[in-house]
Amino acid sequence: MAELSFPPGFVFGAGTAAFQIEGATRADGRGPSVWDAFCAEPGRVEGGDTGEPACDHYRRWPQDVELLRRLGVDSYRFSVSWPRVLPTGAGAVNRAGLDFYSRLVDGLLAAGIEPAVTLYHWDLPQALEDGGGWRARETAHRFAEYAAVVAEALADRVPRWTTLNEPWCSAFLGYGNGVHAPGVRSGTPALAAAHHLLLGHGLALGALRAAGVREAGITLNLDQVYPATPDDEGAALRARTQRNLVWTEPLLRGRYPAAEADTWGELIERQDFRRDGDLAVIAAPMDFLGVNYYTPATVRTAPHREPDPARRDATDNRFAHVRDPRARHTAMDWAVAPDTLRELLVGLREEYGPALPPLFVTENGSAEDDVPGPDGVVHDADRTAYLEGHLRAVAGALAAGVDVRGYYVWSLLDNFEWTYGYGKRFGVVHVDYATQRRTPKDSYHWYREFVSRHSARS
Ligand code: GBH
């Protein structure tokens, strides 16, 4: 394959999230999160899997830093567990929890790896959920206070900060179809949650600035949407509105999308949770926008229906997903179409122009049916091809003039894949959960070589 070109300073990384890898859910004063409670409810997570043991990263982190060092990545994206730092979401700081991240940051820096912190990757302290969770406006303020605590401890050593990971999932899977914790099924509360997440982002951004953080942003899961037929353009607009514009418009333009009424109808008329002045907080300038990308969406027109937890896409209103029979599908049954990432990135640039901050692809990767070979190693050619294709798409976006600053593979390790439990494996490193043995897959070695060829640093 022809060599791809990345600008000097382009960041190659790998990512994880606290609840998915740490385990040790009761260690050193950590409080319960909504995901602990959700996992404990029968039927919510496949196989009855929970946050234990995950990758026992809380205790085995030095080994994981070593895996990152050998991988040769410039940066490691991880999330801080809010209930480790503030066991009930507010009030007294749990020093032991905060110290864990401080040690991790020091370990990364000693290994020559730049830490990139995400403050919220879905593990809301259960005590805050008991007070309404993201349906409650106060949660946005608690989030900013938590951001201030973490920033005070780590801002001297962590250059890049992300407030929220994929607020769409928190709002619409958490409070829309209930597929994610806290498992609430509803309409208006999901929209209120979306607004309070955005407000929390804006307030947290202020807290990060006050602590001296210079590089701060948010990570969104943005969909590249295609109409199944020319008659489905309306459905495609609704999908873009519900999945993308409800985030990018307030963040980048300080307004909610014009097509909202068409897409959510009467729900949006009850938006008393939106107050004057909120949008100015939400639209505070960011230094980067993180984009998580896995698969495109092909959609058709569908009738209005109430949320239905039997459907994973149940939050979608008046559009439905169509399976592309020509594409390869991963173990998640997600279509593989790498070039759609280039189209998404170029489209963002076309849509927002100079209002678009520099971009990072903060997650990209695939779950495959990994089976270790007789040599004990997972020979995951499909994952390697997936990663290579998407890195090519990023290079294509760069060549088209889009300011993309970095790319993070999801994920460093096989981990707790939310509703799917441990059955779905996204890692470039295989984890045997029974023994906690880590074994790099072929894709790890491939990525190591790719990074060493393309990173200006190496
Ligand atoms: C990310 O979520 C998470 O940040 C990460 O924790 C997780 O492990 C990883 O991806 C892999 O799942 O809803 O049927 O229309 C990704 C969540 C997946 C949400 C794709 C939107 C579109 C398919 N996104 N999904 S559908």
Side-chain angles (χ1 to χ4, degrees), residues 16-17 20 77 121-122 165-166 168-169 173 177 180 219 221 223 243 292 294-297 312-316 319 321 332 334 363 365 367 410-411 415-418 420 426:
T16 63
Q20 295 181 272
R77 172 179 181 258
H121 201 125
W122 308 351
N165 177 72
E166 300 191 354
W168 179 84
C169 293
L173 302 183
N177 67 0
H180 279 190
T219 277
N221 55 303
D223 281 357
R243 293 296 183 90
N292 291 354
Y294 292 89
T295 186
R312 307 199 71 81
D313 61 354
T315 59
D316 303 335
F319 74 90
H321 291 262
M332 300 295 281
W334 294 348
E363 286 181 25
W410 184 270
S411 176
N415 61 51
F416 175 82
E417 180 50 30
W418 308 112
Y420 297 90
F426 274 91

Side-chain angles (χ1 to χ4, degrees), residues 57-58 61 68 95 137 149 153 159 186 189 205 259 313 331 375 379 431 450 454:
H57 170 80
Y58 187 74
W61 64 268
L68 287 162
R95 269 286 140 199
R137 191 179 172 90
V149 168
S186 60
L205 210 62
D313 61 354
D375 56 355
H379 301 294
V431 177
F450 187 93
H454 294 95

Side-chain angles (χ1 to χ4, degrees), residues 9-13 75 77 114 116 160-162 215-220 222 287-293 341 345 348 357-364 394 402-408:
F10 188 88
V11 173
F12 292 97
S75 176
R77 172 179 181 258
E114 172 192 274
R160 192 154 357 93
W161 292 71
T162 300
E215 252 191 285
I218 192 170
T219 277
L220 304 175
L222 296 178
D287 306 291
F288 66 89
L289 172 65
V291 177
N292 291 354
Y293 192 75
L341 172 58
L345 299 173
L348 279 169
L359 303 175
F360 282 85
V361 175
T362 34
E363 286 181 25
N364 174 248
V394 171
V402 185
D403 186 1
V404 190
R405 301 278 173 97
Y407 170 95
Y408 289 81

